[in-house]
Structures are given as structure tokens and as C-alpha cells.
């Protein structure tokens, strides 16, 4: 099914997502595709999600309470109360909006809506962006009609749920997806090597500490060709700028780049975290990467996210030691000793980064090959395939083209099932 002809045009769908970009970017992409097909879409999220940049103008956002359940059991009573209140609000929304299906994208703000939809008998689908099934999606996996995944192998996904699992990929922003048809930027033996460094919504402090020094360790012939663009925290800008100046490496720094897709299109090498949206965009465009997973990510899911692209040859993964997370304070002997240990750890990490850059970037063809491998890992039809899956629920039987069932479910126009790889096209 191409998605060009609406399957049950004019239906209503509700998307429920946590308030972070990782949850909301794919939700926005699906909303855009469903709206293009003539459907009406509403969003349930938290206060952060309602205000996040990039939300489509046509998409109304409903903020409902969602309980959080941390390690302290004393807070669970408050969490359960908020969760139950949010479930009631979602049920009232469903009565007036009458959704054909509800799609959850993970995060605690999505849970009240999915509890409401499953209790009301409304078809419910969850989409998992990471290579480890998230906590909320794990809790709901047994109650939903379908589980859409972004990777062929997903940890914490029970075997009894494989029959309703569909590999669709992780939808990305249309402006990023539009770059997929463009060639990898030309690069010669002595040409400018553009490096893009990001670390999340406001840049990662550890990357500000180690990337400038790692780049400075490169062989002079390679270091002299560098042009760096790096996202930093506001409090790190001056210090990082001084480091690049001292290393005589041209660098443009900022806390936020509105034209990130343009910078991604121009770069020859990406260095940063391994969040689901980051990897989805890298593989959509086809950019080689040095990936440094966040060591405190839940269930170490960022490291799991790197497996496919690293195995394909599109990226190198470097582990960040847990000990680099928090800098010590004070002037005691113990604090000074810890700072010395931190400094040694930073130096080792910088050397690892330098070594991996040399392995990838010493020859232009090596970078081009890695870019091609990254591109082959992309799933450009993720939004369309997820929309096909969503449209397969909630309509009259004769209108439903796709059914979840015993063949491990096509559920998507690409027809990939979890555990089965796909042959993809060639990078231009």
C-alpha cells in the first residue's frame, strides 16, 4: 500500500508521547503523514511536549497528568493518583474525539492515554524508537494490538509478542529525509574536512571537554584540514572556543543551530551521542559517525542503538567511562586525586576519539564508504510504513488492507519483520 490513497479517509487518531524530542519527533512525522492522508490527529503529552519546537500547526496538544515511578516507593502513591487522573481525562477526550486507534511513543506521559485506550477497547499501537524496549512500552506490550520497532533486533521484547511486532524504522523530519537523495559532500585528499559535533538538546559537557583535544591529537596534515561545528552548553562556550583557538582549529560554536539539517548535509563526519533520532537522521542522510553513547541512559539503550550501524561499517562506537559523568568539587586531597583521575580518563577518551577519526577519515574513500554503509541502514519509508500499520486498525474490515497476524505481520509497505533484515537501495 503506497499511502497515496487514504485507507478509511477522515478517521481520527490520537498520538501519545513523552515530552522529549526522541519521543515527539517520530510522533510529529506520523501526524504529518496521517494528516496528508486526510485524517484528523490529536496529541497527548506533557507540558514540555506541548511547547516543543517543531510541532505541526494542525496538531492540537492535550496536556494530561502522568505519574512517575522512581526508586522511592513513597512517591508511588502520588504517581498512581496522577496516572489515574490522566487516564480519566484521556477517556473523556476519546468520547468526544472518537479515535480509530491510539499510538503511543513511549515516555510516562503516554501511559495514561494507552491505559485508557486499552480499557475502552480502542485499538492501540506502540512505537519503540530505541533498540531496547522502553519501560512504558514494556508495560503495555501485552495489552496492545501491535508493536512497531525501529531496529530488527530489540532487547526486552518478549518472544510471545513477536507475532504482532513490525519493523518500520524511526520516522524523521521531512526536511532531513529530503536530503537522502543528495550525494555525500565531495572530499579530496587535501580538501576541507567538515566535522559536526552535537550532544543532545544543549550539548554534552563531556564532549566539550574531550573533542577539541581529540581533534588536536590528529596528524598535522589532517588537523589542518578541519572545519568544526559544535553544539555546546551556554556555560561551556567561552572555554571551548579558547581550546579550539589554542589548537588553531577553525570552529563555529553555538548552543542551538536552527539549520541543523543543512549542517548535517554539509558535514563529512558526525561526532555525538547515540540517541534514536540522531541515528535515524544519520542513516536517513547517510553520514559516517563516531558515536559516544550516554553511559547513564536507561538500560544502556544508546549503546544498543549503535549495533546496526557499527556492524554495517557506517560508524565507530566509543564507550564513555561512568567516572566522567560528574566533576568533583573542593580542594581536598581526595577531590584533587579524583580530578587527576578524571583528567587521565578525559585524555584517554580524547585519544580514543582521535584514533577512530584517523581510522575513518584518513582517506576520502574510507569516509565515502562509511557514508554509504550508514545510508544503507536508513529506513526512509518509516513514517509511511507506520501510517500504513496505524490505518490497518479501527476501520471496516473491507477497508483494512493490512492485518496483524500469523506471518509475523507485514504491517508496513516495506514488509520487514523483526529479526529479518532487508535489502536496501544504493547510495547515490
Amino acid at each position: 500500500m503506497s499511502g497515496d490513497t487514504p485507507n478509511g479517509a477522515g478517521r481520527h487518531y490520537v498520538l501519545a508521547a513523552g515530552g522529549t524530542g526522541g519521543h515527539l519527533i517520530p510522533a510529529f512525522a506520523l501526524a504529518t503523514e496521517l494528516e496528508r492522508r486526510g485524517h484528523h490527529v490529536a496529541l497527548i503529552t506533557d507540558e514540555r511536549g506541548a511547547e516543543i519546537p517543531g510541532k505541526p500547526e494542525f496538531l492540537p496538544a492535550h496536556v494530561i497528568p502522568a505519574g512517575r515511578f522512581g526508586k522511592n516507593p513513597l512517591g508511588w502513591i502520588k504517581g498512581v493518583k496522577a496516572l489515574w487522573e490522566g487516564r480519566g481525562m484521556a477517556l473523556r477526550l476519546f468520547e468526544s474525539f472518537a479515535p480509530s486507534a491510539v499510538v503511543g511513543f513511549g515516555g510516562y506521559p503516554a501511559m495514561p492515554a494507552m491505559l485508557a485506550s486499552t480499557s475502552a477497547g480502542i485499538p492501540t499501537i506502540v512505537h519503540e524508537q530505541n533498540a531496547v524496549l522502553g519501560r512504558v512500552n514494556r508495560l503495555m506490550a501485552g495489552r496492545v494490538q501491535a508493536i512497531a520497532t525501529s531496529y530488527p533486533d530489540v532487547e526486552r521484547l518478549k518472544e510471545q509478542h513477536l507475532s504482532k511486532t513490525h519493523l518500520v524504522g524511526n520516522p524523521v523530519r521531512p526536511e532531513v529525509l529530503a536530503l537522502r537523495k543528495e550525494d555525500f559532500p565531495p572530499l579530496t585528499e587535501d580538501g576541507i574536512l567538515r566535522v559536526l559535533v552535537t550532544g543532545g538538546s544543549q550539548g554534552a559537557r563531556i564532549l566539550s571537554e574531550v573533542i577539541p583535544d581529540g581533534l588536536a591529537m590528529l596528524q598535522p596534515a589532517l588537523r589542518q584540514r578541519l572545519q568544526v561545528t559544535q553544539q555546546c552548553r551556554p556555560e561551556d562556550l567561552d572555554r571551548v572556543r579558547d581550546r579550539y583557538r589554542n589548537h588553531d582549529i577553525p570552529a563555529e560554536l553555538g548552543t542551538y543551530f536552527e539549520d541543523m539539517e543543512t549542517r548535517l548535509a554539509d558535514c563529512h563526519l558526525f561526532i555525538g551521542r547515540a540517541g534514536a533520532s540522531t541515528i535515524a537522521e544519520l542513516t536517513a542522510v547517510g553520514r559516517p559517525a563516531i558515536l559516544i553513547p550516554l553511559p547513564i541512559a536507561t538500560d544502556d539503550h544508546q549503546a544498543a542503538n549503535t549495533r546496526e550501524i557499527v556492524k554495517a561499517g557506517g560508524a565507530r562506537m566509543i564507550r564513555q567511562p561512568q567516572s566522567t559523568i560528574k566533576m568533583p568539587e573542593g580542594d581536598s586531597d581526595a577531590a584533587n586525586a579524583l580530578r587527576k583521575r578524571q583528567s587521565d580518563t578525559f585524555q584517554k577518551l580524547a585519544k580514543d576519539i582521535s584514533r577512530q577519526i584517523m581510522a575513518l577519515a584518513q582517506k576520502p574513500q574510507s569516509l565515502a564508504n562509511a557514508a554509504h554503509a550508514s545510508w544503507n541502514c536508513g529506513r526512509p519509508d518509516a513514517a509511511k510504513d507506520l501510517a500504513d500499520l496505524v490505518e490497518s486498525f479501527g476501520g471496516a474490515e473491507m477497508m483494512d488492507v493490512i492485518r496483524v497476524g500469523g506471518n509475523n505481520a507485514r504491517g508496513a509497505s516495506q514488509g520487514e519483520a523483526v529479526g529479518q533484515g532487508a535489502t536496501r537501495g544504493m547510495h547515490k
Side-chain angles (χ1 to χ4, degrees), residues 3-4 6 13-15 24-43 53-60 103 105 171-175 177 382-388 390-391:
D4 292 330
Y13 293 104
V14 170
L15 313 185
L24 286 165
I25 288 174
F28 293 163
L30 175 62
T32 300
E33 177 63 19
L34 290 173
E35 196 269 346
R36 185 186 72 82
R37 298 184 183 195
H39 301 303
H40 304 280
V41 191
L43 173 70
K55 184 176 76 66
E57 292 184 3
F58 66 81
L59 184 65
V103 188
F105 287 85
V172 300
R173 296 172 294 148
E175 55 268 33
L177 190 58
K384 293 180 181 178
D385 289 349
L386 183 56
D388 286 349
V390 170
E391 279 188 332

Side-chain angles (χ1 to χ4, degrees), residues 135-393:
R135 290 176 179 175
V136 170
N137 285 348
R138 288 203 298 270
L139 288 170
M140 300 303 302
R143 304 180 63 174
V144 302
Q145 279 65 51
I147 301 169
T149 67
S150 302
Y151 295 93
D153 298 306
V154 180
E155 297 177 17
R156 301 293 187 96
L157 178 61
K158 294 182 179 180
E159 186 173 354
Q160 63 260 38
H161 297 148
L162 290 178
S163 63
K164 60 179 178 182
T165 299
H166 311 253
L167 174 59
V168 299
N170 193 13
V172 300
R173 296 172 294 148
E175 55 268 33
V176 172
L177 190 58
L179 302 173
R180 186 168 175 82
K181 296 180 180 180
E182 296 188 7
D183 292 334
F184 184 66
L187 181 64
T188 60
E189 293 282 355
D190 56 355
I192 294 175
L193 178 63
R194 299 186 188 89
V195 178
L196 175 63
V197 184
T198 73
S201 60
Q202 289 189 326
R205 174 162 291 173
I206 182 65
L207 300 186
S208 295
E209 291 285 343
V210 302
I211 297 299
D213 292 345
L215 293 173
M217 294 177 186
L218 295 173
Q219 294 177 0
L222 184 57
R223 187 177 68 241
Q224 292 168 6
R225 296 167 49 204
L226 294 175
Q227 174 64 59
V228 180
T229 299
Q230 182 163 348
Q231 183 188 38
C232 305
R233 293 173 182 265
E235 61 269 27
D236 294 335
L237 278 173
D238 290 340
R239 178 169 48 82
V240 178
R241 187 174 287 113
D242 288 342
R243 285 195 177 193
Y244 277 118
R245 186 181 297 115
N246 293 337
H247 294 320
D248 197 25
I249 296 175
E252 179 185 2
L253 309 180
T255 58
Y256 178 76
F257 297 110
E258 291 186 358
D259 59 341
M260 185 60 78
E261 60 276 4
T262 301
R263 296 171 188 274
L264 182 62
D266 290 340
C267 85
H268 298 104
L269 178 64
F270 172 89
I271 305 175
R273 294 301 192 195
S277 290
T278 294
I279 294 182
E281 292 190 352
L282 288 172
T283 56
V285 179
R287 292 296 176 269
I290 306 288
L291 298 170
I292 308 169
L294 179 68
I296 59 173
T298 305
D299 297 321
D300 200 23
H301 67 259
Q302 286 204 2
N305 291 348
T306 69
R307 280 196 303 255
E308 185 181 33
I309 188 173
V310 168
K311 183 178 180 180
R316 305 292 180 98
M317 191 266 276
I318 299 174
R319 283 283 191 178
Q320 174 189 333
Q322 288 269 3
S323 61
T324 62
I325 294 170
K326 187 175 181 180
M327 290 293 289
E329 297 180 356
D331 293 323
S332 67
D333 290 343
N336 288 331
L338 186 54
R339 265 194 293 271
K340 174 63 167 61
R341 200 180 320 142
Q342 290 262 39
S343 177
D344 292 342
T345 302
F346 286 159
Q347 281 295 102
K348 180 181 182 304
L349 190 55
K351 288 179 181 178
D352 288 343
I353 291 169
S354 178
R355 184 164 53 249
Q356 295 294 357
I357 294 173
M358 288 295 297
L360 267 177
Q362 201 162 18
K363 296 180 179 179
Q365 191 56 43
S366 297
L367 273 177
N369 290 341
H372 174 72
S374 172
W375 190 90
N376 272 343
C377 290
R379 296 183 172 89
D381 293 326
K384 293 180 181 178
D385 289 349
L386 183 56
D388 286 349
L389 177 62
V390 170
E391 279 188 332
S392 73
F393 294 97

Side-chain angles (χ1 to χ4, degrees), residues 89-136:
M89 292 177 65
L91 283 171
R92 290 192 291 274
L93 172 63
F94 297 163
E95 288 178 2
S96 60
F97 192 65
S100 294
V102 173
V103 188
F105 287 85
Y108 284 108
M111 196 166 181
M114 289 191 290
L115 287 175
S117 62
T118 54
S119 66
I122 300 171
T124 306
I125 302 106
V126 294
H127 179 271
E128 179 54 60
Q129 299 87 52
N130 294 296
V132 181
L133 200 63
R135 290 176 179 175
V136 170

